[in-house]
Amino acid sequence: MVQSAYSSATANVHAALQRISARDARVRAWLHVDDVGALAAAQAADAQGGANGPLAGVCVGVKDVIAVAEMLLTHNSPLFTGFVPSEDAACVATLRAAGAVILGKTDTTEFAAAGRNAASANPHDFTRTPGGSSAGSAAAVADGHVPLALATQTGGSTIRPASFCGIHGFKPTWGLVSREGVKMYANSLDTVGWYTRDLGLCDRVCAVFGLAEAPPLGPQPLRIGVFRTPWWDEMTPGGKAAFDGVAAAMAGAGVVMVDIAALPEFEHLNQDHRAILFREGAAAFLSLARSRPDLLHADFHLRVDALASYPDARLREAHDRAAAARTGFERAIAGLDAVLAPSAPGIAPRGRSPGEPKFNQPWTLLHAPVVNLPLAQGEGGMPIGVSLIAPRYADRRLVAVAREVEQRLGLTRPSA
């Protein structure tokens, strides 16, 4: 499905609903589709002369850990059966104000954290996962149901599904998009992100959320660092070949590729991420563990009991090392336009598991903006993405660099 800027909002909603009707019985991206509400909103906008705003008439899916007024908010948990919030999360309200039409709620790993997996399938192979926790949002965009869907990332929950599904995923700098109305998991890590099928729309969403405009890129060649991470040996053969192929193609297109052997403290960041994740997760789920323990999945009881495994001294060490690593990373990449790194170890695995987060968690802990580029394929033609990473608060410049890379590779797509 392609939604044109010249299509009416009503036509866009009808196109989305037709695609969902034809495909979602197998893809299972959606937990709830508000066809009546979406059509009413679109028709009201068209009756006033057409939807206005930078996202006028664009249909949006919302991950079901994010509140949408008068729509079920389940978190994929039996604890929230039948719960309907009265107000939009801030990120949803911002999209509505920009003219977007909220179509419904997409499936998620339980609480975007652990426990129950989403039922969503990878549109490229229904036996495989779309990744998690933002499974339904990634599948909905990849299968052409909507051009835009909201996601969240605490470890790798935006970028890894984008890699598995062959779409653009964007995780902005931590703290730049409001999390008001979004289920909290780990306060130091949680970030609202989004999926799109092209980078033009991704940049428009950045602008809608108030991310600073990037100055034009200069005439000098792009300089991209190539960082295979300390876990390169855990990549699949197909994943290694795909990553190296993208780096070679970029070099062939005139991008200056600079190998990065190591980054400060990077080898510790996955362990530090886990310590912070579990201790802050303990705070997030303590009330449910105390008040409704029987319906709370065992994974969350483990987080509530995390003090025994991650005492205060370990948590302090993790936070201090992460703070040092943020400034160390930015010093280490000075003079580079971005860093290229794996988004996932290979293609989507079979089943419905979220997938391996090891290649994403360090960037989340560094609070850096990350964009997944769907530039490669692995076994059976399944997608494999690559990540571009930039310093904190260089979000829209990162998108501009990503667009330049795609243009040089001849992969520019029309904006939705």
Side-chain angles (χ1 to χ4, degrees):
M1 180 192 70
V2 176
Q3 294 192 358
S4 165
Y6 302 103
S7 296
S8 70
T10 302
N12 286 344
V13 172
H14 277 302
L17 294 177
Q18 288 171 1
R19 182 67 175 174
I20 291 168
S21 177
R23 294 279 296 177
D24 202 51
R26 299 193 70 186
V27 177
R28 302 182 70 180
W30 300 86
L31 292 175
H32 173 69
V33 176
D34 183 23
D35 51 352
V36 174
L39 280 169
Q43 289 165 354
D46 290 338
Q48 296 174 3
N52 294 310
L55 299 178
V58 173
C59 292
V60 182
V62 178
K63 182 177 180 178
D64 197 32
V65 293
I66 302 172
V68 176
E70 308 307 323
M71 289 191 199
L72 288 168
L73 176 61
T74 73
H75 306 288
N76 190 17
S77 168
L79 286 160
F80 282 82
T81 301
F83 176 66
V84 180
S86 59
E87 295 185 357
D88 288 335
C91 55
V92 173
T94 301
L95 295 181
R96 283 198 205 270
V101 178
I102 307 303
L103 197 65
K105 307 298 290 294
T106 58
D107 205 354
T108 174
T109 307
E110 189 171 355
F111 292 117
R116 299 199 303 190
N117 291 326
S120 306
N122 191 307
H124 299 273
D125 179 346
F126 295 145
T127 71
R128 297 181 185 273
T129 181
S133 59
S134 305
S137 287
V141 172
D143 202 46
H145 303 183
V146 288
L148 170 64
L150 289 180
T152 64
Q153 179 155 312
T154 306
S157 292
T158 298
I159 297 301
R160 188 176 59 258
S163 177
F164 288 166
C165 290
I167 56 176
H168 294 95
F170 186 69
K171 185 206 80 70
T173 299
W174 175 81
L176 287 187
V177 178
S178 174
R179 296 174 299 173
E180 182 182 357
V182 182
K183 177 67 181 104
M184 188 68 68
Y185 180 12
N187 181 59
S188 300
L189 305 169
D190 292 348
T191 308
V192 173
W194 49 89
Y195 297 117
T196 62
R197 292 178 66 87
D198 69 87
L199 290 171
L201 179 56
C202 181
D203 189 61
R204 283 157 57 196
V205 178
C206 287
V208 164
F209 282 122
L211 277 59
E213 187 173 358
L217 299 179
Q220 67 276 11
L222 291 178
R223 292 175 53 84
I224 304 289
V226 180
F227 184 53
R228 291 176 173 81
T229 79
W231 309 286
W232 179 251
D233 288 345
E234 298 180 37
M235 295 278 288
T236 67
K240 290 180 179 178
F243 182 84
D244 286 340
V246 170
M250 290 169 63
V255 179
V256 178
M257 308 301 288
V258 180
D259 282 331
I260 300 175
L263 288 170
E265 300 289 358
F266 204 87
E267 67 275 15
H268 301 294
L269 293 184
N270 269 318
Q271 291 77 22
D272 292 339
H273 178 280
R274 185 172 179 84
I276 294 168
L277 181 81
F278 268 68
R279 284 296 305 275
E280 293 188 357
F285 295 107
L286 178 66
S287 63
L288 293 175
R290 296 289 187 266
S291 63
R292 306 183 70 184
D294 54 325
L295 290 179
L296 187 65
H297 195 282
D299 286 350
F300 301 104
H301 287 285
L302 287 175
R303 281 150 181 77
V304 171
D305 295 337
L307 181 61
S309 301
Y310 301 103
D312 291 344
R314 177 68 182 97
L315 184 61
R316 186 181 304 114
E317 176 190 47
H319 275 297
D320 289 349
R321 194 152 54 194
R326 289 178 195 125
T327 56
F329 167 63
E330 289 164 9
R331 285 194 299 267
I333 66 167
L336 298 177
D337 292 293
V339 172
L340 180 73
S343 290
I347 67 172
R350 296 191 185 279
R352 294 293 181 266
S353 70
E356 173 56 61
K358 183 173 292 186
F359 294 87
N360 316 114
Q361 291 172 161
W363 309 117
T364 305
L365 184 53
L366 292 180
H367 293 169
V370 186
V371 60
N372 178 76
L373 299 184
L375 297 181
Q377 293 181 334
E379 304 93 310
M382 289 293 295
I384 299 178
V386 295
S387 289
L388 284 182
I389 305 101
R392 292 167 294 174
Y393 311 112
D395 297 65
R396 292 185 71 186
R397 191 178 192 282
L398 174 63
V399 175
V401 169
R403 295 180 79 174
E404 176 68 18
V405 168
E406 289 197 344
Q407 288 169 4
R408 286 179 174 273
L409 296 177
L411 297 174
T412 302
R413 306 178 190 184
S415 179

